[in-house]
Amino acid sequence: MSLSRVAAAGLSDIEAKLAAGIRLDPGDGVRLFAADLLAVAWLANREREKRHAGRTFYNLNIRLEATNVCVASCLFCSFARLKPGDPGAYTMSLEQVWDKLRQRRDQPLTEVHVVNGLHPDLPFAYYTDMLRGFKRIRPGIFLKCFTAVEIAFFADLYGMSDEQVLRELMAAGLDSLPGGGAEIFAERVRRKIARDKCGTERYLAIHRLAHRLGMRTNVTMLYGHIETPADRIDHMLRARALQDETGGFQAFIPLAFHPDNNQMRRLPAPSAAETLRVHAVARLMCDNIDHVKAFWIATGVEVAQTSLWFGVDDLDGTVQEERIYHMAGARTPEALSTRQIARLILAAGREPVERDTLYNVVPRPAAR
Ligand code: V47
């Protein structure tokens, strides 16, 4: 693999821009979606190695979904149930939620990642008490909870401003926001697949606000359904534009669409090649976001491992208890141990680094 492959792929001008630190434009992005995959990979890997050399980050985290009751009917979702009492609907009591953390007393977890359905009947105190309880059980734990879509929903439901919601959650212990709910920013597609969720401008405004209040956040992109390559590039560039303003995004996370048990089940899942390409293009377009994460639950473990040569430098974490993807047909394990993650990084010829949510290196003997 070399520059000659990049030249043969007709990508010399893009290579020259990247070498000179000149930003790629939308036209470049769309071309990368049609170009020779290994040439794109070579370029993405060079950008990855410029930033991180072989280092590959992961964390020891747990994922909790306290309720799947959700007033939204997103076409891609297999997790949500419209009303309490519907078959498969659940809402955990706070004791049940806290027990998930208590049960892991022996694990040196650094992060709790919470994503919920948009439940119409719970009081706001359910969420603030949840956070306070987590910090009581584990004072040092980092709380990455509630997507911007949930924040917008809380503001509308409880009659508060987005800023008030964020400030009250922060006072209760919230440390950062996950990137979920971004789906696809292009309004034409967003209105079709996620019509009940807050719009793109509000999603971005909430992240802008979170950054201004001192939190770091992530941004995701759901791909492999009805979006076009131009929609993907538009999405990446809207994230890049906000990052220019605030610098608050830590990771860009492409999420592969899983078609089982949802309204878009007739669509095929994106192929491994497509998944590798989307991550590589994200590395090239989002030049100001430090990390590109492959969420191994969504990509599959083998593709996540391979993606470490396609621009990816982060594999999320141990996860545990994931439901959104498993209800949508994911055949990945429910959890990986830090030892398993470190081994798969080493087997790919990369260097495993355990991090906390803010990408500080966790000083622990490497789990090999
Ligand atoms: O917003 C839901 C996606 C997201 C399906 O910030 C689906 O570190 C594919 O955002 N097929 C939630 N995707 C998960 C998420 C996330 C994951 C990992 C790390 C981080 C982070 C955030 O899951 C939703 C939606 O885009 N999703 N259903 C499905 N059938």
Side-chain angles (χ1 to χ4, degrees), residues 153-168:
F153 178 73
F154 295 158
D156 295 346
L157 185 66
Y158 305 120
M160 294 193 267
S161 68
D162 295 346
E163 177 160 352
Q164 260 175 307
V165 171
L166 285 176
R167 284 189 185 279
E168 294 206 16

Side-chain angles (χ1 to χ4, degrees), residues 250-252 254 279 282-283 289-294 311-314:
Q250 302 194 105
F252 187 94
H279 287 77
R283 177 63 287 159
I289 299 181
D290 284 344
H291 304 282
V292 174
K293 185 192 281 192
V312 168
D313 66 281
D314 189 307

